[in-house]
């Protein structure tokens, strides 16, 4: 949960996963809740990763696209984004339970009211 990555660092990890085996192992072993901060204005996005690929699988899509398919992130520059882990959970936790925790974190962080979560 000490993770704090820029877009460049995120892309570097996924560009050469063998050289970053420690990152892959740790992120793959954990599902959880993560936060993306747009450092240009301080707005945040709270997301979740669940299932066998854990956070690794979800963040791989961000490294590739910059926005991970999230509507409110698409028009923003991912070079301004900073990724962090809010909370880790088991990869065996149900999708429903992870999404419930994600919803609670969205409330705590205010990411629906003043952030980048549209749901």
């Amino acid at each position: 949960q000490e993770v704090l990555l820029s877009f460049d660092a995120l892309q570097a990890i996924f560009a050469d996963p063998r050289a970053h085996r420690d990152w892959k192992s740790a992120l793959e072993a954990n599902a959880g809740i993560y936060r993306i901060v747009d450092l240009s204005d301080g707005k945040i996005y709270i997301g979740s990763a669940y299932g066998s690929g854990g956070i690794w699988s979800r963040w791989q899509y961000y490294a590739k696209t910059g926005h991970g398919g999230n509507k409110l992130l698409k028009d923003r520059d991912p070079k301004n984004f900073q990724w962090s882990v809010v909370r880790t959970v088991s990869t065996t936790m149900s999708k429903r339970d992870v999404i419930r925790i994600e919803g609670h974190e969205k409330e705590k962080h205010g990411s629906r009211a003043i952030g980048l979560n549209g749901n």
Side-chain angles (χ1 to χ4, degrees), residues 57-115:
S57 292
R58 184 67 184 113
W59 283 12
Q60 188 171 34
Y61 193 39
Y62 285 106
K64 185 177 185 178
T65 66
H67 54 70
N70 298 303
K71 183 172 60 172
L72 296 179
L73 298 180
K74 286 183 178 179
D75 292 333
R76 293 175 169 260
D77 184 353
K79 295 265 184 205
N80 295 323
F81 294 171
Q82 184 179 68
W83 280 260
S84 62
V85 174
V86 173
R87 179 175 174 181
T88 59
V89 299
S90 170
T91 56
T92 62
M93 182 178 276
S94 73
K95 175 182 174 180
R96 182 175 155 239
D97 286 342
V98 175
I99 290 171
R100 180 185 51 76
I101 295 167
E102 176 190 12
H104 181 70
E105 292 295 339
K106 287 176 183 178
E107 290 300 316
K108 281 174 38 180
H109 291 269
S111 64
R112 289 183 182 122
I114 57 171

Side-chain angles (χ1 to χ4, degrees), residues 9 11-26 56:
Q11 286 187 309
I13 289 168
F14 286 95
D16 191 358
R18 286 194 301 169
H20 297 95
R21 284 185 296 266
D22 53 338
W23 279 101
K24 185 173 191 224
S25 176
W56 177 265

Side-chain angles (χ1 to χ4, degrees), residues 2 8-10 19 26 30 43 45 54 63 75 77 86 102 106 115:
E2 299 292 323
D8 288 341
L10 187 74
N30 291 284
K43 291 193 176 187
Y45 174 85
D75 292 333
D77 184 353
V86 173
E102 176 190 12
K106 287 176 183 178

